[in-house]
Amino acid sequence: MCRTVDLHQAVLAKNDENALALRGYLSDRGTVAVNLLSSPGSGKTALLELLLARAVAGGTPAAAVTADLATENDATRLARSGAPVRQILTDGLCHLEAGMLQRRLEGWLPEGTRLLFVENVGNLVCPASYDLGETLRIALASVTEGEDKPVKYPTAFGLAHLVVVTKTDIGEAVGFDREAFLRGVRQVNPGVPVLETSARTGQGVDALLEHVLRCAAGEETHVPVLARQHERYLHSHGNGNGSGHGSAAGHEHEHGREHTHEHTGGHAPVDGQAR
């Protein structure tokens, strides 16, 4: 048991080292990374497609990396926004790591990219423990998942700089208890901003993009109480606006292969788009 704990700590320590270097690499390029965490089916991809499209339309250079266990479906959808997109297939690995992301960005991330959105693997457990060199970490939950998500997954929501509620257009129909959800958020992450969105109606999308852009412009991000209790996390994130220099060294994860595929605009529409 002790050996297992030590190994886990060593993996996290290596990831933190890579994340710090990646944060410096992105800072040197003037790029702000946004790490998106949610469970499967939250509507994260649909919301991100809108964010990318509005960023591109507004003249903000934006790109995205999306991670899944299998299929290129999400990259194909996101590429419809007109932003450059890269897919990472984890072949069963339940989260991204900083070294994996760094390797996929080198030689690909377009010069001048201001915003880099990272759509993590759909999972609220494993990804919560891995810093990806992001400036902004967003935890998302849909109204269809129940109002107790924050208290059931306190690390994912407790370390978020921003919480986003999705699919609010059907909240009443599914009996979503908004106040109970907000109480849960305040319990695990006091003071964290909460934005309510709907990719179907467009509610909150502009507000979300504006929040991201303010952070990119240097506005201080929310500092979670849980981060203060985890010196490792707080130290690696600094003030939330990027620090450190250098490029992360390659770090092969021992679980499965990585694949990468590039996409540009011009893909045919995908039927059955989630809200």
Side-chain angles (χ1 to χ4, degrees):
M1 180 61 69
C2 292
R3 184 173 181 274
T4 300
V5 171
D6 290 343
L7 177 60
H8 179 65
Q9 291 174 342
V11 170
L12 289 177
K14 180 61 177 178
N15 184 81
D16 290 343
E17 178 184 333
N18 288 336
L20 185 61
L22 178 54
R23 186 170 284 108
Y25 168 79
L26 293 172
S27 179
D28 289 345
R29 296 173 63 97
T31 301
V32 169
V34 182
N35 186 5
L36 304 174
L37 284 76
S38 79
S39 56
S42 68
K44 178 168 75 269
T45 306
L47 183 62
L48 179 53
E49 183 181 349
L50 276 181
L51 283 173
L52 288 170
R54 295 192 183 188
V56 170
T60 299
V65 172
T66 181
D68 275 305
L69 277 66
T71 82
E72 300 176 44
N73 294 350
D74 286 354
T76 300
R77 290 176 56 189
L78 293 177
R80 298 184 308 198
S81 67
V85 178
R86 171 160 280 193
Q87 178 84 52
I88 294 178
L89 299 182
T90 67
D91 283 352
L93 187 63
C94 62
H95 61 275
L96 281 177
E97 296 181 5
M100 297 165 62
L101 179 60
Q102 172 69 18
R103 288 193 300 278
R104 293 307 172 239
L105 295 180
E106 290 179 341
W108 170 78
L109 186 65
E111 289 294 332
T113 298
R114 186 62 179 138
L115 301 178
L116 172 66
F117 291 94
V118 181
E119 183 180 20
N120 219 312
V121 179
N123 183 344
L124 284 173
V125 181
C126 302
S129 298
Y130 287 83
D131 182 4
L132 297 182
E134 71 266 20
T135 293
L136 187 65
R137 176 178 290 206
I138 302 178
L140 303 93
S142 72
V143 298
T144 59
E145 297 175 68
E147 49 281 328
D148 60 351
K149 265 293 188 291
V151 293
K152 291 179 71 173
Y153 299 93
T155 302
F157 287 91
L159 287 175
H161 302 114
L162 175 68
V163 172
V164 171
V165 185
T166 62
K167 305 185 184 183
T168 55
D169 55 301
I170 59 172
E172 184 176 354
V174 299
F176 179 65
D177 189 335
R178 177 178 178 273
E179 291 306 315
F181 180 86
L182 294 177
R183 283 197 302 272
V185 170
R186 289 193 294 267
Q187 178 180 327
V188 301
N189 196 345
V192 67
V194 178
L195 289 177
E196 301 180 45
T197 67
S198 167
R200 173 177 284 176
T201 68
Q203 175 195 348
V205 178
D206 287 334
L208 177 53
L209 181 57
E210 289 168 6
H211 185 100
V212 173
L213 288 172
R214 288 197 304 272
C215 291
E219 181 177 293
E220 289 292 324
T221 58
H222 166 73
V223 179
V225 172
L226 188 59
R228 298 190 187 104
Q229 299 170 0
H230 288 68
E231 184 178 353
R232 172 185 69 82
Y233 182 89
L234 187 60
H235 173 73
S236 64
H237 277 71
N239 66 5
N241 291 312
S243 60
H245 302 280
S247 174
H251 171 53
E252 287 296 335
H253 193 281
E254 54 207 353
H255 299 286
R257 303 183 305 277
E258 298 167 39
H259 301 274
T260 179
H261 305 272
E262 296 181 25
H263 295 260
T264 56
H267 289 277
V270 176
D271 294 333
Q273 179 174 339
R275 282 181 295 274

